[in-house]
Amino acid sequence: MRSFYYAISGLMYALRREYNLRLHAGSAAAVCIAGLFLHISKTEWLLVVAAVAAVIAAELINTAIEVLCNHVTPEHHPAIKQVKDISAAAVLVVSGAAAITGAIIFIPKLFSL
């Protein structure tokens, strides 16, 4: 039970402090509402859930890396900048793949309305 408490605590910390995570969470909610409205299939739901989970997980890992880097040195350091930029790039890659997944699922359904 303690592990769940710590995980929820970390999620709540990140949601309170990270604008991008709130943005991704809001987008996830909008996608889920669209999925309900457009009656996506079970397979499509699996892909949407996997994409949403991947984006949220990547953003949480990015946040953890940023917090750790800021703790190690609050001053500008070229290596810390590279670490932060690379972790942000990981979020960008996963978000791009999620956007493509969403487009493949939702665009045809929107055009058939």
XYZ file of all heavy atoms in Angstrom:
848
model
N 0.828 -1.204 0.000
C 0.000 0.000 0.000
C 0.873 1.269 0.000
O 0.487 2.256 -0.600
C -0.921 -0.001 1.222
C -2.066 -1.012 1.134
S -3.075 -0.813 -0.345
C -4.013 0.611 0.083
N 2.002 1.192 0.692
C 2.882 2.366 0.720
C 3.378 2.728 -0.679
O 3.500 3.900 -1.012
C 4.068 2.127 1.646
C 3.848 2.738 3.008
C 5.098 2.708 3.797
N 5.026 1.479 4.593
C 6.008 0.987 5.288
N 7.175 1.579 5.283
N 5.856 -0.101 5.977
N 3.651 1.711 -1.485
C 4.131 1.963 -2.845
C 3.089 2.738 -3.653
O 3.430 3.649 -4.408
C 4.440 0.646 -3.553
O 5.504 -0.002 -2.912
N 1.811 2.363 -3.492
C 0.748 3.090 -4.186
C 0.661 4.525 -3.679
O 0.480 5.458 -4.458
C -0.606 2.388 -4.017
C -0.732 1.141 -4.834
C -0.782 -0.097 -4.230
C -0.797 1.211 -6.220
C -0.897 -1.253 -4.988
C -0.914 0.062 -6.992
C -0.961 -1.171 -6.364
N 0.789 4.704 -2.376
C 0.750 6.045 -1.799
C 1.868 6.907 -2.383
O 1.634 8.055 -2.775
C 0.864 5.984 -0.273
C 1.035 7.344 0.348
C -0.053 8.194 0.512
C 2.296 7.790 0.734
C 0.102 9.457 1.060
C 2.458 9.059 1.275
C 1.367 9.880 1.448
O 1.527 11.135 1.982
N 3.081 6.341 -2.446
C 4.210 7.106 -2.975
C 4.003 7.433 -4.456
O 4.317 8.537 -4.911
C 5.522 6.343 -2.802
C 5.914 6.135 -1.353
C 6.494 4.946 -0.944
C 5.698 7.120 -0.389
C 6.855 4.752 0.386
C 6.055 6.929 0.930
C 6.633 5.743 1.317
O 6.986 5.543 2.617
N 3.465 6.476 -5.208
C 3.228 6.706 -6.637
C 2.171 7.793 -6.848
O 2.357 8.692 -7.674
C 2.802 5.410 -7.316
N 1.081 7.718 -6.096
C 0.033 8.745 -6.207
C 0.573 10.094 -5.765
O 0.283 11.128 -6.380
C -1.213 8.350 -5.383
C -1.838 7.069 -5.943
C -2.233 9.474 -5.338
C -2.337 7.170 -7.363
N 1.382 10.091 -4.721
C 1.996 11.329 -4.244
C 2.867 11.951 -5.332
O 2.829 13.165 -5.565
C 2.818 11.043 -2.988
O 3.489 12.201 -2.558
N 3.650 11.134 -6.021
C 4.492 11.628 -7.108
C 3.675 12.165 -8.262
O 3.993 13.209 -8.833
N 2.591 11.474 -8.595
C 1.713 11.927 -9.662
C 1.074 13.264 -9.307
O 1.041 14.189 -10.131
C 0.633 10.879 -9.948
C -0.388 11.231 -11.014
C 0.276 11.455 -12.373
C -1.448 10.140 -11.109
N 0.601 13.389 -8.078
C -0.044 14.635 -7.654
C 0.973 15.784 -7.620
O 0.652 16.907 -8.021
C -0.714 14.463 -6.281
C -1.835 13.432 -6.274
S -2.983 13.508 -7.653
C -3.729 15.079 -7.410
N 2.183 15.514 -7.161
C 3.239 16.533 -7.166
C 3.470 17.031 -8.596
O 3.504 18.237 -8.854
C 4.542 15.956 -6.599
C 5.728 16.868 -6.801
C 6.009 17.881 -5.879
C 6.562 16.750 -7.913
C 7.087 18.737 -6.064
C 7.632 17.602 -8.107
C 7.892 18.588 -7.176
O 8.955 19.444 -7.371
N 3.612 16.089 -9.518
C 3.894 16.459 -10.903
C 2.714 17.215 -11.522
O 2.916 18.185 -12.246
C 4.229 15.209 -11.715
N 1.497 16.783 -11.230
C 0.327 17.486 -11.775
C 0.227 18.910 -11.248
O -0.152 19.823 -11.979
C -0.955 16.718 -11.453
C -1.251 15.517 -12.341
C -2.376 14.681 -11.753
C -1.586 15.957 -13.753
N 0.580 19.104 -9.971
C 0.528 20.455 -9.393
C 1.602 21.367 -9.956
O 1.389 22.559 -10.130
C 0.688 20.386 -7.869
C -0.571 20.016 -7.125
C -0.426 20.241 -5.632
N 0.728 19.564 -5.057
C 0.728 18.304 -4.596
N -0.368 17.591 -4.639
N 1.812 17.780 -4.091
N 2.764 20.819 -10.254
C 3.915 21.649 -10.588
C 4.246 21.738 -12.077
O 4.986 22.633 -12.480
C 5.155 21.127 -9.851
C 4.929 20.894 -8.388
C 5.600 21.706 -7.413
N 6.780 22.403 -7.788
C 7.628 22.861 -6.928
N 7.444 22.644 -5.651
N 8.684 23.543 -7.308
N 3.757 20.807 -12.870
C 4.179 20.741 -14.271
C 3.033 21.059 -15.225
O 2.108 20.264 -15.392
C 4.754 19.359 -14.592
C 6.044 19.057 -13.861
C 7.163 20.019 -14.227
O 7.290 20.381 -15.419
O 7.903 20.407 -13.320
N 3.132 22.197 -15.855
C 2.118 22.636 -16.812
C 1.958 21.623 -17.944
O 0.838 21.299 -18.347
C 2.486 24.014 -17.369
C 1.602 24.436 -18.510
C 0.318 24.918 -18.269
C 2.025 24.321 -19.835
C -0.520 25.285 -19.310
C 1.202 24.685 -20.883
C -0.066 25.166 -20.612
O -0.888 25.521 -21.651
N 3.071 21.127 -18.485
C 3.000 20.204 -19.617
C 2.266 18.914 -19.249
O 1.538 18.363 -20.074
C 4.392 19.878 -20.150
C 4.987 21.030 -20.921
O 4.274 21.927 -21.367
N 6.294 21.028 -21.077
N 2.444 18.444 -18.028
C 1.732 17.242 -17.605
C 0.233 17.520 -17.524
O -0.582 16.696 -17.945
C 2.265 16.724 -16.267
C 1.634 15.415 -15.794
C 1.847 14.293 -16.805
C 2.195 15.017 -14.443
N -0.136 18.679 -17.010
C -1.557 19.039 -16.977
C -2.116 19.159 -18.396
O -3.248 18.739 -18.672
C -1.768 20.343 -16.200
C -1.534 20.188 -14.708
C -2.026 21.393 -13.920
N -1.446 22.659 -14.322
C -0.315 23.164 -13.856
N 0.385 22.515 -12.944
N 0.119 24.348 -14.267
N -1.319 19.695 -19.303
C -1.732 19.799 -20.699
C -1.959 18.407 -21.295
O -2.975 18.161 -21.956
C -0.676 20.565 -21.500
C -0.982 20.835 -22.962
C -2.146 21.805 -23.101
C 0.251 21.403 -23.642
N -1.029 17.493 -21.050
C -1.176 16.123 -21.558
C -2.369 15.421 -20.913
O -3.104 14.687 -21.597
C 0.098 15.316 -21.318
C 1.250 15.718 -22.186
N 1.192 15.711 -23.557
C 2.494 16.138 -21.870
C 2.349 16.110 -24.051
N 3.156 16.379 -23.033
N -2.587 15.634 -19.629
C -3.735 15.020 -18.948
C -5.047 15.552 -19.505
O -6.005 14.794 -19.719
C -3.642 15.258 -17.440
N -5.100 16.842 -19.762
C -6.293 17.428 -20.365
C -6.533 16.891 -21.767
O -7.675 16.595 -22.148
N -5.472 16.746 -22.522
C -5.589 16.176 -23.870
C -6.077 14.732 -23.792
O -6.904 14.305 -24.605
C -4.241 16.228 -24.591
O -3.824 17.558 -24.757
N -5.571 13.987 -22.824
C -6.001 12.598 -22.646
C -7.488 12.530 -22.339
O -8.208 11.684 -22.880
C -5.193 11.937 -21.529
N -7.964 13.425 -21.490
C -9.393 13.460 -21.166
C -10.215 13.781 -22.414
O -11.244 13.137 -22.672
C -9.664 14.477 -20.066
N -9.757 14.738 -23.201
C -10.470 15.104 -24.430
C -10.507 13.940 -25.414
O -11.539 13.681 -26.048
C -9.809 16.326 -25.074
N -9.401 13.227 -25.525
C -9.339 12.067 -26.421
C -10.300 10.980 -25.953
O -10.982 10.349 -26.765
C -7.889 11.547 -26.523
C -7.824 10.159 -27.132
C -7.039 12.517 -27.330
N -10.365 10.756 -24.654
C -11.280 9.736 -24.123
C -12.740 10.122 -24.375
O -13.558 9.272 -24.748
C -11.021 9.507 -22.635
S -9.460 8.644 -22.336
N -13.062 11.384 -24.200
C -14.426 11.850 -24.488
C -14.733 11.675 -25.979
O -15.805 11.193 -26.350
C -14.608 13.315 -24.037
C -14.581 13.377 -22.497
C -15.900 13.905 -24.589
C -14.445 14.778 -21.939
N -13.772 12.010 -26.826
C -13.958 11.832 -28.270
C -14.135 10.349 -28.604
O -14.961 9.991 -29.446
C -12.770 12.410 -29.037
N -13.363 9.490 -27.943
C -13.489 8.055 -28.176
C -14.866 7.541 -27.817
O -15.430 6.695 -28.529
N -15.416 8.046 -26.715
C -16.776 7.648 -26.328
C -17.798 8.162 -27.334
O -18.696 7.431 -27.750
C -17.101 8.180 -24.931
C -16.341 7.541 -23.771
C -16.578 8.315 -22.483
C -16.740 6.086 -23.613
N -17.656 9.407 -27.731
C -18.586 10.029 -28.667
C -18.552 9.352 -30.040
O -19.589 9.159 -30.676
C -18.263 11.517 -28.796
C -19.129 12.243 -29.774
C -20.457 12.542 -29.484
C -18.630 12.641 -31.008
C -21.264 13.208 -30.394
C -19.421 13.308 -31.920
C -20.749 13.592 -31.616
N -17.350 8.988 -30.492
C -17.184 8.411 -31.825
C -17.253 6.885 -31.842
O -17.081 6.264 -32.894
C -15.863 8.880 -32.443
C -15.779 10.385 -32.698
C -14.373 10.797 -33.092
C -16.790 10.806 -33.753
N -17.480 6.281 -30.675
C -17.646 4.824 -30.563
C -16.472 4.061 -31.181
O -16.667 3.205 -32.050
C -18.968 4.376 -31.195
C -20.161 5.079 -30.644
N -20.638 4.833 -29.371
C -20.956 6.039 -31.170
C -21.688 5.600 -29.149
N -21.897 6.355 -30.218
N -15.266 4.373 -30.729
C -14.112 3.662 -31.266
C -14.144 2.205 -30.794
O -14.736 1.876 -29.765
C -12.779 4.366 -30.914
C -12.515 4.400 -29.409
C -12.748 5.775 -31.505
C -11.162 4.996 -29.040
N -13.505 1.339 -31.563
C -13.536 -0.099 -31.286
C -12.642 -0.450 -30.091
O -11.845 0.377 -29.628
C -13.055 -0.872 -32.515
O -11.654 -0.685 -32.691
N -12.749 -1.693 -29.629
C -11.901 -2.151 -28.514
C -10.421 -2.060 -28.887
O -9.595 -1.644 -28.072
C -12.256 -3.586 -28.118
C -13.561 -3.695 -27.392
C -13.854 -5.135 -27.015
C -15.229 -5.236 -26.378
N -15.571 -6.599 -25.998
N -10.103 -2.449 -30.098
C -8.706 -2.367 -30.548
C -8.235 -0.921 -30.576
O -7.108 -0.614 -30.152
C -8.557 -3.002 -31.943
O -8.997 -4.363 -31.884
C -7.116 -2.956 -32.425
N -9.088 -0.033 -31.059
C -8.729 1.384 -31.080
C -8.561 1.918 -29.659
O -7.645 2.701 -29.395
C -9.778 2.178 -31.853
C -9.756 1.878 -33.335
C -10.956 2.393 -34.093
O -12.061 2.516 -33.495
O -10.812 2.663 -35.303
N -9.421 1.485 -28.728
C -9.266 1.889 -27.326
C -7.922 1.428 -26.773
O -7.262 2.182 -26.037
C -10.405 1.336 -26.465
C -11.595 2.227 -26.402
C -12.839 1.974 -26.886
C -11.660 3.546 -25.824
N -13.677 3.049 -26.650
C -12.974 4.030 -26.002
C -10.729 4.369 -25.185
C -13.387 5.279 -25.555
C -11.132 5.619 -24.739
C -12.442 6.061 -24.931
N -7.532 0.206 -27.113
C -6.236 -0.296 -26.635
C -5.094 0.586 -27.125
O -4.168 0.911 -26.370
C -6.017 -1.741 -27.092
C -6.890 -2.790 -26.424
C -6.714 -4.141 -27.103
C -6.552 -2.900 -24.936
N -5.163 0.991 -28.383
C -4.119 1.856 -28.939
C -4.142 3.239 -28.300
O -3.081 3.811 -27.999
C -4.283 1.955 -30.461
C -4.039 0.649 -31.216
C -4.481 0.786 -32.666
C -2.577 0.251 -31.120
N -5.336 3.777 -28.087
C -5.462 5.094 -27.451
C -4.939 5.043 -26.016
O -4.164 5.917 -25.599
C -6.931 5.591 -27.498
C -7.147 6.767 -26.567
C -7.313 5.961 -28.930
N -5.333 4.036 -25.263
C -4.876 3.913 -23.874
C -3.353 3.754 -23.829
O -2.682 4.394 -23.000
C -5.589 2.741 -23.162
C -4.916 2.404 -21.840
C -7.056 3.076 -22.942
N -2.800 2.940 -24.715
C -1.344 2.758 -24.748
C -0.636 4.073 -25.092
O 0.386 4.423 -24.472
C -0.964 1.676 -25.757
N -1.171 4.810 -26.046
C -0.559 6.085 -26.440
C -0.631 7.095 -25.305
O 0.364 7.775 -24.992
C -1.230 6.632 -27.705
N -1.790 7.192 -24.673
C -1.956 8.135 -23.552
C -1.015 7.762 -22.407
O -0.328 8.626 -21.848
C -3.432 8.166 -23.087
C -3.565 8.830 -21.729
C -4.294 8.874 -24.116
N -0.978 6.487 -22.070
C -0.109 6.041 -20.973
C 1.364 6.318 -21.283
O 2.117 6.751 -20.409
C -0.330 4.553 -20.704
N 1.762 6.096 -22.527
C 3.154 6.343 -22.912
C 3.513 7.822 -22.779
O 4.592 8.165 -22.275
C 3.398 5.860 -24.342
N 2.617 8.694 -23.209
C 2.880 10.143 -23.118
C 2.962 10.581 -21.659
O 3.891 11.296 -21.269
C 1.814 10.955 -23.884
C 1.945 12.445 -23.599
C 1.923 10.691 -25.377
N 2.000 10.153 -20.844
C 2.000 10.537 -19.430
C 3.242 9.985 -18.734
O 3.905 10.704 -17.969
C 0.709 10.055 -18.729
C -0.535 10.686 -19.368
C 0.768 10.316 -17.226
C -0.671 12.173 -19.215
N 3.594 8.727 -19.015
C 4.787 8.135 -18.400
C 6.054 8.870 -18.833
O 6.931 9.159 -18.001
C 4.881 6.648 -18.758
N 6.158 9.197 -20.113
C 7.335 9.930 -20.589
C 7.431 11.300 -19.927
O 8.522 11.741 -19.539
C 7.287 10.068 -22.113
N 6.298 11.964 -19.783
C 6.297 13.285 -19.133
C 6.693 13.164 -17.663
O 7.427 14.015 -17.137
C 4.931 13.938 -19.285
C 4.889 15.384 -18.858
C 5.782 16.293 -19.682
O 5.654 16.314 -20.916
O 6.615 17.004 -19.077
N 6.224 12.121 -16.990
C 6.605 11.911 -15.585
C 8.109 11.628 -15.454
O 8.769 12.154 -14.551
C 5.798 10.774 -14.972
C 4.333 11.096 -14.691
C 3.547 9.826 -14.398
C 4.216 12.088 -13.540
N 8.644 10.811 -16.353
C 10.085 10.529 -16.326
C 10.873 11.804 -16.609
O 11.882 12.090 -15.941
C 10.438 9.409 -17.320
C 9.840 8.078 -16.835
C 11.952 9.289 -17.498
C 9.842 6.979 -17.874
N 10.419 12.588 -17.580
C 11.070 13.859 -17.883
C 11.060 14.775 -16.658
O 12.072 15.416 -16.340
C 10.364 14.533 -19.066
C 10.991 15.852 -19.437
O 12.200 15.955 -19.621
N 10.168 16.876 -19.545
N 9.929 14.832 -15.973
C 9.824 15.662 -14.771
C 10.788 15.175 -13.695
O 11.472 15.988 -13.050
C 8.369 15.650 -14.245
O 7.533 16.230 -15.251
C 8.237 16.427 -12.951
N 10.861 13.867 -13.501
C 11.778 13.318 -12.498
C 13.227 13.663 -12.830
O 14.007 14.042 -11.949
C 11.600 11.801 -12.400
N 13.570 13.567 -14.099
C 14.932 13.904 -14.522
C 15.215 15.386 -14.281
O 16.294 15.752 -13.782
C 15.152 13.511 -15.996
C 15.204 11.984 -16.107
C 16.411 14.155 -16.560
C 15.156 11.464 -17.533
N 14.258 16.248 -14.599
C 14.450 17.680 -14.374
C 14.605 18.003 -12.894
O 15.463 18.810 -12.519
C 13.295 18.466 -14.977
C 13.334 18.521 -16.483
C 12.242 19.402 -17.066
O 11.460 20.001 -16.308
O 12.195 19.491 -18.309
N 13.795 17.389 -12.056
C 13.897 17.623 -10.605
C 15.272 17.184 -10.106
O 15.926 17.900 -9.339
C 12.760 16.894 -9.850
C 13.010 16.895 -8.349
C 11.417 17.545 -10.166
N 15.712 16.011 -10.545
C 17.024 15.517 -10.129
C 18.147 16.434 -10.618
O 19.053 16.782 -9.851
C 17.241 14.093 -10.644
C 18.583 13.463 -10.298
C 18.766 13.366 -8.784
C 18.692 12.095 -10.943
N 18.073 16.845 -11.879
C 19.107 17.741 -12.417
C 19.155 19.063 -11.659
O 20.240 19.571 -11.363
C 18.849 18.001 -13.901
S 19.229 16.613 -14.975
N 17.982 19.614 -11.340
C 17.945 20.868 -10.595
C 18.497 20.699 -9.187
O 19.049 21.641 -8.617
C 16.523 21.419 -10.545
C 16.049 21.887 -11.902
O 16.843 22.121 -12.810
N 14.741 21.987 -12.059
N 18.356 19.514 -8.628
C 18.906 19.245 -7.299
C 20.432 19.121 -7.365
O 21.132 19.617 -6.489
C 18.308 17.960 -6.722
C 18.886 17.580 -5.407
N 18.582 18.267 -4.253
C 19.755 16.607 -5.062
C 19.250 17.723 -3.251
N 19.968 16.717 -3.713
N 20.923 18.475 -8.410
C 22.367 18.267 -8.554
C 23.073 19.608 -8.702
O 24.083 19.854 -8.047
C 22.675 17.340 -9.749
C 24.162 17.331 -10.081
C 22.183 15.934 -9.460
N 22.559 20.458 -9.566
C 23.127 21.793 -9.715
C 22.071 22.752 -10.243
O 21.573 22.566 -11.346
C 24.375 21.817 -10.629
O 24.859 23.162 -10.723
C 24.107 21.281 -12.000
N 21.716 23.744 -9.442
C 20.745 24.733 -9.911
C 21.352 25.705 -10.931
O 20.634 26.421 -11.605
C 20.328 25.461 -8.632
C 21.432 25.233 -7.672
C 22.089 23.938 -8.053
N 22.664 25.693 -11.048
C 23.345 26.578 -11.990
C 23.344 25.958 -13.385
O 23.212 24.752 -13.542
C 24.785 26.819 -11.530
C 24.863 27.481 -10.164
C 26.224 27.301 -9.518
O 27.153 26.824 -10.200
O 26.340 27.616 -8.338
N 23.526 26.821 -14.392
C 23.595 26.328 -15.768
C 24.842 25.472 -15.939
O 25.939 25.869 -15.555
C 23.614 27.504 -16.752
C 23.725 27.053 -18.168
N 22.649 26.517 -18.849
C 24.777 27.018 -19.018
C 23.045 26.195 -20.070
N 24.322 26.500 -20.195
N 24.651 24.289 -16.514
C 25.778 23.396 -16.799
C 25.487 22.715 -18.133
O 24.378 22.207 -18.332
C 25.934 22.359 -15.685
C 27.186 21.571 -15.800
N 27.317 20.508 -16.668
C 28.373 21.693 -15.168
C 28.532 20.010 -16.559
N 29.194 20.703 -15.647
N 26.455 22.695 -19.045
C 26.200 22.129 -20.377
C 25.721 20.670 -20.344
O 24.834 20.297 -21.116
C 27.551 22.238 -21.091
C 28.313 23.271 -20.345
C 27.805 23.256 -18.936
N 26.269 19.859 -19.474
C 25.861 18.450 -19.411
C 24.435 18.319 -18.890
O 23.658 17.496 -19.389
C 26.824 17.654 -18.531
N 24.064 19.131 -17.900
C 22.698 19.112 -17.369
C 21.722 19.552 -18.455
O 20.646 18.974 -18.622
C 22.578 19.994 -16.111
C 23.431 19.437 -14.963
C 21.125 20.173 -15.695
C 22.961 18.113 -14.413
N 22.108 20.566 -19.233
C 21.257 21.022 -20.337
C 21.037 19.895 -21.337
O 19.911 19.664 -21.799
C 21.876 22.230 -21.037
C 21.015 22.727 -22.196
C 21.705 23.818 -22.981
C 20.893 24.360 -24.122
N 20.114 23.445 -24.908
N 22.086 19.149 -21.650
C 21.948 18.033 -22.596
C 21.000 16.969 -22.050
O 20.142 16.458 -22.788
C 23.303 17.407 -22.888
C 24.166 18.245 -23.798
C 25.509 17.603 -24.043
O 26.095 16.977 -23.156
N 26.014 17.762 -25.255
N 21.133 16.650 -20.775
C 20.260 15.647 -20.158
C 18.803 16.104 -20.226
O 17.910 15.336 -20.611
C 20.690 15.374 -18.695
C 19.647 14.560 -17.963
C 22.045 14.673 -18.659
N 18.562 17.350 -19.858
C 17.190 17.879 -19.901
C 16.647 17.918 -21.325
O 15.486 17.584 -21.560
C 17.140 19.276 -19.274
C 17.292 19.280 -17.772
C 17.190 20.712 -17.266
C 17.134 20.806 -15.775
N 16.910 22.190 -15.313
N 17.474 18.332 -22.277
C 17.029 18.401 -23.667
C 16.716 17.009 -24.215
O 15.729 16.825 -24.938
C 18.091 19.073 -24.545
C 18.224 20.566 -24.295
O 17.382 21.126 -23.557
O 19.172 21.166 -24.834
N 17.531 16.032 -23.868
C 17.312 14.672 -24.351
C 16.034 14.084 -23.740
O 15.239 13.444 -24.449
C 18.537 13.783 -24.061
C 19.722 14.233 -24.931
C 18.211 12.301 -24.287
C 21.061 13.648 -24.509
N 15.809 14.332 -22.458
C 14.582 13.797 -21.846
C 13.347 14.499 -22.409
O 12.304 13.867 -22.610
C 14.627 13.879 -20.322
O 14.623 15.202 -19.864
N 13.459 15.772 -22.722
C 12.351 16.483 -23.369
C 12.121 15.937 -24.780
O 10.977 15.816 -25.234
C 12.627 17.982 -23.412
N 13.193 15.577 -25.470
C 13.061 15.001 -26.808
C 12.323 13.662 -26.758
O 11.537 13.347 -27.659
C 14.441 14.823 -27.445
N 12.545 12.894 -25.704
C 11.831 11.625 -25.557
C 10.325 11.869 -25.468
O 9.529 11.153 -26.092
C 12.333 10.876 -24.317
N 9.935 12.879 -24.720
C 8.510 13.226 -24.621
C 7.994 13.655 -25.995
O 6.886 13.273 -26.399
C 8.268 14.332 -23.574
C 6.800 14.747 -23.544
C 8.717 13.886 -22.193
N 8.770 14.428 -26.716
C 8.372 14.875 -28.047
C 8.141 13.695 -28.987
O 7.142 13.648 -29.715
C 9.434 15.818 -28.621
C 9.171 16.369 -30.019
C 7.933 17.259 -30.021
C 10.380 17.129 -30.513
N 9.036 12.723 -28.960
C 8.915 11.551 -29.832
C 7.652 10.758 -29.495
O 6.859 10.399 -30.380
C 10.168 10.656 -29.730
C 9.950 9.302 -30.391
C 11.368 11.365 -30.342
N 7.436 10.503 -28.203
C 6.261 9.737 -27.785
C 4.982 10.516 -28.092
O 3.990 9.940 -28.561
C 6.350 9.373 -26.287
C 5.075 8.733 -25.793
C 7.531 8.442 -26.043
N 4.990 11.814 -27.857
C 3.815 12.642 -28.145
C 3.513 12.665 -29.639
O 2.346 12.619 -30.044
C 4.026 14.069 -27.642
O 4.166 14.080 -26.252
N 4.536 12.729 -30.450
C 4.339 12.695 -31.899
C 3.723 11.381 -32.346
O 2.791 11.362 -33.167
N 4.223 10.274 -31.809
C 3.658 8.965 -32.149
C 2.200 8.875 -31.686
O 1.349 8.321 -32.394
C 4.494 7.850 -31.526
N 1.907 9.423 -30.508
C 0.525 9.416 -30.001
C -0.377 10.260 -30.894
O -1.521 9.872 -31.168
C 0.486 9.923 -28.560
N 0.120 11.381 -31.355
C -0.671 12.237 -32.241
C -0.972 11.532 -33.561
O -2.095 11.604 -34.079
C 0.059 13.561 -32.493
N 0.009 10.831 -34.087
C -0.199 10.080 -35.328
C -1.219 8.965 -35.101
O -2.125 8.754 -35.921
C 1.140 9.533 -35.866
C 2.016 10.689 -36.349
C 0.906 8.503 -36.976
C 3.456 10.313 -36.627
N -1.085 8.266 -33.975
C -2.045 7.213 -33.628
C -3.456 7.795 -33.553
O -4.405 7.229 -34.115
C -1.667 6.555 -32.287
O -0.362 5.982 -32.403
C -2.663 5.483 -31.886
N -3.582 8.918 -32.868
C -4.883 9.573 -32.751
C -5.431 9.992 -34.102
O -6.626 9.825 -34.381
N -4.581 10.522 -34.950
C -5.027 10.955 -36.278
C -5.523 9.769 -37.099
O -6.567 9.858 -37.759
C -3.885 11.672 -37.006
N -4.801 8.658 -37.037
C -5.204 7.471 -37.793
C -6.557 6.949 -37.311
O -7.389 6.505 -38.112
C -4.122 6.370 -37.692
C -2.871 6.803 -38.471
C -4.646 5.027 -38.178
C -1.647 5.941 -38.216
N -6.801 7.034 -36.015
C -8.054 6.526 -35.455
C -9.201 7.515 -35.644
O -10.301 7.138 -36.055
C -7.873 6.180 -33.959
C -6.947 4.969 -33.818
C -9.226 5.914 -33.281
C -6.500 4.678 -32.396
N -8.955 8.780 -35.336
C -10.055 9.738 -35.240
C -10.412 10.462 -36.540
O -11.576 10.782 -36.765
C -9.775 10.756 -34.134
C -9.879 10.170 -32.766
C -8.749 9.883 -32.024
C -11.116 9.885 -32.208
C -8.839 9.327 -30.760
C -11.234 9.333 -30.947
C -10.084 9.048 -30.218
N -9.461 10.761 -37.379
C -9.766 11.536 -38.589
C -10.785 10.825 -39.487
O -11.770 11.447 -39.904
C -8.480 11.945 -39.346
C -7.744 13.026 -38.541
C -8.803 12.435 -40.756
C -6.395 13.426 -39.103
N -10.618 9.534 -39.781
C -11.635 8.880 -40.620
C -13.027 8.895 -39.964
O -14.041 9.058 -40.654
C -11.124 7.447 -40.761
C -9.670 7.526 -40.505
C -9.492 8.632 -39.511
N -13.073 8.758 -38.643
C -14.365 8.767 -37.954
C -15.005 10.154 -38.014
O -16.209 10.270 -38.154
C -14.194 8.306 -36.514
C -13.782 6.838 -36.430
C -13.883 6.301 -35.054
C -13.475 4.857 -34.977
N -14.201 3.944 -35.831
N -14.202 11.186 -37.917
C -14.728 12.546 -37.998
C -15.264 12.844 -39.402
O -16.290 13.507 -39.552
C -13.665 13.558 -37.597
C -13.292 13.562 -36.113
C -12.077 14.449 -35.870
C -14.472 14.024 -35.271
N -14.576 12.346 -40.432
C -15.027 12.589 -41.800
C -16.288 11.804 -42.136
O -17.022 12.169 -43.059
C -13.924 12.276 -42.811
C -12.929 13.384 -42.965
C -11.584 13.154 -42.727
C -13.333 14.662 -43.334
C -10.663 14.184 -42.870
C -12.422 15.690 -43.478
C -11.079 15.446 -43.246
N -16.535 10.726 -41.397
C -17.731 9.929 -41.690
C -18.964 10.422 -40.960
O -20.044 9.863 -41.121
C -17.473 8.461 -41.348
O -17.372 8.300 -39.945
N -18.831 11.495 -40.168
C -19.992 12.027 -39.445
C -20.978 12.707 -40.380
O -20.718 13.335 -41.301
C -19.559 13.017 -38.356
C -18.887 12.383 -37.144
C -18.448 13.482 -36.173
C -19.820 11.418 -36.431
